[in-house]
Amino acid sequence: MTGPARSVPTDIPFGPADVPWQKAFSGLRTLDGTPTVTPPSSDPRETYDDVPGIPYAGFQLPACALTEEQYTEAESLLRAHLQRQCRNSVGFQLNGDLDYQHRLAPYLDLPVNNAGDPYRTGSVTHNTKILERAVLDYFASLWNARWPHRDDDPESYWGYTLTMGASEGNLYALWNAREYLSGSPLLHPTPTPTPGPSAPGTARNTLAAAHREQGSDSFHPVVLFSADTHYSVTKATRLLGLDTMRSLGERRFPGENPLGRGTPWPAAVPSAGGADGKGDGDGDGDGDGTIDVDRLAVIVRFFAARGFPVIVNLNYGSAFKGAYDDVASAARMVHDICAEHGLDERHVDHGRPGPTDVRTGYWVHVDGALGAGYAPYLQMAHQAGLVAAAPPLFDFRLPQIHSITTSGHKWMGTPWPCGVYMTRTRLQMLPPAESEYIGSADTTFGGSRNGFSPLVMWDHLARRSYDDQIRAAVECDRLARYAHDRLRDLQAESGRDLWVARSPFSLAVRFRRPSTLIVTRYSLSCETTRVAGLVRPYAHLYAMPHVTRDLIDALIRDLAAPGAFSPDSANT
Ligand SMILES: *Cc1c(COP(=O)(O)O)cnc(C)c1O
């Protein structure tokens, strides 16, 4: 290490032609022969992870740009690599069965932008909001919300298509929940029905704006989620400065964890049959991955009894095990316990002229990244007698549900992350400001929003009937069962416990983590779990529409080979 004025190496080979970075500048872009932009301080090729088969040199970007031949060589290497990896990918809940390029390629040269609210045209007229609304109406119907969206119908749905995936949906849901429960103004205030806000008897539930300023617990939500919850929920909680049961418990109620007096507050609500008894709730155990509704009830009761509003995240297809929480029972329980403590109907006086509004003191969000896109079709298949059983109810038919999100790239299959967020119009918050600049209410997170994603989702839905979707869902369900059977056969033949398991209706099958070679070849997703105090490195596969029995068979053959589960390679 030299001092602050250390010299940078000038002989690092760079770019496809191995020409040092400094030498690729023309006179136009240098000052006295020295480039005006910053050189590398060490060799990037040696700094970053290798991608087997595609050397970084061919992709580095020199000041003189790539020649046509260099570009072509790099691009064909990349394409072959991605095509191979996508073909063999069985580890994620991503649908790789895509077929868009022939119809949609022309749109790549149009700067489509869906800035602002989907239901206002806005001043960026080159948008695909007309398709966005069609996609949202489709999901509103699929999820049994009241549609179309109408500003003047508080019971109708409102939603938007996400520029990120369900991570953005979860973030938006928790933001919406935080604002709603902490008494911020609604976009469409619903006047209080009789008795009026000043009538006697409503005092207990009337929350004055003054309380909010005093930091009253009545405006202080706590987020509850299970140990099997996706990391985006924890991240959103932190981004939004929300309290979890652990942070609020440790700060305000040390030693009072109602799940075990004297034990530390867990970060998450335990999953059913899955806790290792330590009560740390960190995803431990080999249960099916659904939230333990009874223990959730204990936690909801603890905070509701102390006046705190609760935000409950439920998983409809958890990320690793693909588990379906019993959304209906959990949501009803949350409502009933909250009602006992005056958290069902709260009259919020938000400090502005006009009537107070009535709100729940809880918010139930459904993270349906894969499941909310897939399970409705499996439910229809069940109704048609095509499958023996289907996941439980989760959608807007349940009056206690506030929001649902799904990813577009999971069940439907899109070339990039996208998704849908949906809530009820009466739950929408007043945006910080009406944006005159975009000529549209600023109801979404993004400024610019991806306008290509609604086109891709619309294309997917426009080309498939419900019958097609139902058949595809049944196929995937069968394929997951096939993979589960083959893995259990392998387990029996190997005489070794490979921890093979499939949660009910899940498209994921989990098993002992194999060697890194196999993990990379099939893009397997891995997670470490503790069962009865022992560390278990798991991998899983997902039976998505592009996965074939041949691909499962190839994976099984690799898993049957000697050294496939060698322990040294299993922990890297
Ligand atoms: C994939 C997933 C997410 C995150 O979705 P992205 O679309 O990747 O942002 C959230 N929750 C669950 C249960 C998931 O499976």
Side-chain angles (χ1 to χ4, degrees):
M1 279 288 198
T2 49
R6 68 183 175 179
S7 60
V8 294
T10 54
D11 55 351
I12 299 173
F14 194 87
D18 285 341
V19 173
W21 180 87
Q22 288 84 348
K23 302 260 158 63
F25 286 81
S26 76
L28 262 187
R29 281 159 284 140
T30 59
L31 201 62
D32 302 333
T34 309
T36 55
V37 289
T38 306
S41 58
S42 63
D43 188 349
R45 295 183 195 171
E46 284 169 9
T47 307
Y48 302 138
D49 284 350
D50 270 339
V51 182
I54 54 169
Y56 190 39
F59 299 91
Q60 290 184 304
L61 297 166
C64 59
L66 301 189
T67 65
E68 211 160 297
E69 298 81 68
Q70 289 168 341
Y71 180 96
T72 304
E73 189 175 342
E75 191 274 326
S76 56
L77 265 182
L78 176 75
R79 193 167 0 150
H81 168 77
L82 286 180
Q83 284 171 337
R84 183 175 56 248
Q85 290 307 114
C86 289
R87 202 166 44 239
N88 290 335
S89 176
V90 296
F92 286 87
Q93 56 275 52
L94 299 173
N95 182 358
D97 188 12
L98 311 187
D99 168 30
Y100 296 111
Q101 57 177 314
H102 302 297
R103 291 176 309 284
L104 304 189
Y107 293 90
L108 275 178
D109 289 335
L110 299 174
V112 173
N113 194 316
N114 284 17
D117 191 271
Y119 304 92
R120 312 272 170 83
T121 300
S123 46
V124 186
T125 55
H126 35 102
N127 63 58
T128 58
K129 289 183 183 180
I130 189 167
L131 304 183
E132 182 175 10
R133 295 191 281 263
V135 168
L136 291 167
D137 277 358
Y138 181 98
F139 277 98
S141 172
L142 188 67
W143 295 342
N144 294 290
R146 188 171 156 92
W147 65 285
H149 163 75
R150 296 175 60 119
D151 281 347
D152 63 358
D153 181 357
E155 292 309 318
S156 69
Y157 85 91
W158 178 83
Y160 76 100
T161 61
L162 305 162
T163 289
M164 292 157 53
S167 297
E168 181 184 339
N170 289 338
L171 180 60
Y172 195 98
L174 294 197
W175 169 79
N176 204 143
R178 184 193 73 184
E179 295 298 293
Y180 180 83
L181 296 174
S182 58
S184 296
L186 298 170
L187 181 57
H188 310 287
T190 329
T192 305
T194 49
S198 55
T202 59
R204 191 187 61 161
N205 289 343
T206 301
L207 301 167
H211 284 141
R212 189 169 179 227
E213 274 126 45
Q214 291 155 9
S216 157
D217 291 343
S218 316
F219 288 117
H220 189 122
V222 55
V223 187
L224 308 178
F225 48 83
S226 82
D228 278 80
T229 297
H230 189 261
Y231 61 86
S232 59
V233 172
T234 332
K235 185 162 53 182
T237 300
R238 200 190 286 185
L239 268 170
L240 294 164
L242 281 161
D243 261 320
T244 62
M245 60 190 271
R246 175 186 273 167
S247 62
L248 187 60
E250 282 179 350
R251 198 171 67 248
R252 297 282 302 277
F253 309 103
E256 292 185 50
N257 171 18
L259 295 178
R261 289 265 157 180
T263 63
W265 278 94
V269 177
S271 296
D276 62 358
K278 286 207 198 68
D280 55 5
D282 290 329
D284 297 339
D286 60 354
D288 68 8
T290 58
I291 195 165
D292 183 328
V293 177
D294 293 336
R295 288 199 270 188
L296 172 64
V298 170
I299 298 292
V300 170
R301 190 179 300 283
F302 181 91
F303 287 109
R306 286 158 182 78
F308 292 91
V310 293
I311 302 172
V312 178
N313 176 84
L314 297 172
N315 299 318
Y316 201 64
S318 67
F320 197 75
K321 294 178 177 174
Y324 293 92
D325 285 349
D326 185 349
V327 174
S329 304
R332 211 174 306 118
M333 174 278 289
V334 170
H335 166 86
D336 292 349
I337 292 177
C338 285
E340 286 169 34
H341 298 283
L343 287 173
D344 52 341
E345 285 187 9
R346 307 204 298 172
H347 300 257
V348 174
D349 164 8
H350 36 69
R352 295 187 312 171
T356 59
D357 58 60
V358 186
R359 310 181 188 186
T360 55
Y362 63 90
W363 184 288
V364 180
H365 171 63
V366 177
D367 176 359
L370 169 65
Y374 157 74
Y377 304 121
L378 201 66
Q379 289 170 348
M380 291 173 201
H382 175 49
Q383 284 151 12
L386 299 175
V387 291
L393 198 65
F394 74 100
D395 64 27
F396 289 109
R397 278 172 286 186
L398 303 168
Q400 307 89 1
I401 299 301
H402 292 69
S403 53
I404 300 175
T405 192
T406 198
S407 302
H409 48 294
K410 290 189 171 170
W411 174 251
M412 285 186 277
T414 59
W416 46 76
C418 60
V420 170
Y421 171 77
M422 196 165 284
T423 183
R424 303 177 196 267
T425 296
R426 66 175 154 80
L427 304 174
Q428 280 191 270
M429 305 310 299
L430 188 69
E434 190 82 6
S435 178
E436 190 192 345
Y437 180 63
I438 54 171
S440 167
D442 192 15
T443 48
T444 61
F445 267 159
S448 291
R449 290 190 302 118
N450 191 323
F452 210 143
S453 295
L455 170 62
V456 170
M457 289 191 271
W458 177 85
D459 180 282
H460 171 95
L461 297 169
R463 292 162 43 80
R464 283 167 184 79
S465 66
Y466 267 82
D467 288 1
D468 297 331
Q469 296 277 13
I470 292 165
R471 273 192 290 270
V474 170
E475 266 314 299
C476 287
D477 180 57
R478 285 199 186 124
L479 187 68
R481 197 167 331 132
Y482 176 79
H484 187 220
D485 289 346
R486 292 290 77 75
L487 279 161
R488 281 164 54 120
D489 293 346
L490 175 70
Q491 176 167 266
E493 286 156 18
S494 73
R496 185 170 179 200
D497 189 356
L498 299 179
W499 316 324
V500 176
R502 179 188 176 210
S503 294
F505 319 111
S506 178
L507 293 181
V509 185
R510 53 192 191 275
F511 51 97
R512 187 190 286 266
R513 187 194 157 141
S515 69
T516 302
L517 190 72
I518 297 176
V519 165
T520 307
R521 179 173 298 154
Y522 295 96
S523 295
L524 300 179
S525 162
C526 300
E527 190 169 282
T528 299
T529 294
R530 252 174 302 147
V531 178
L534 296 175
V535 170
R536 280 189 174 187
Y538 272 98
H540 71 188
L541 61 81
Y542 256 101
M544 298 301 291
H546 70 283
V547 177
T548 60
R549 291 187 179 210
D550 285 348
L551 187 54
I552 300 287
D553 292 344
L555 169 66
I556 300 286
R557 272 197 304 278
D558 282 350
L559 292 175
F565 292 96
S566 62
D568 22 335
S569 53
N571 286 316
T572 47

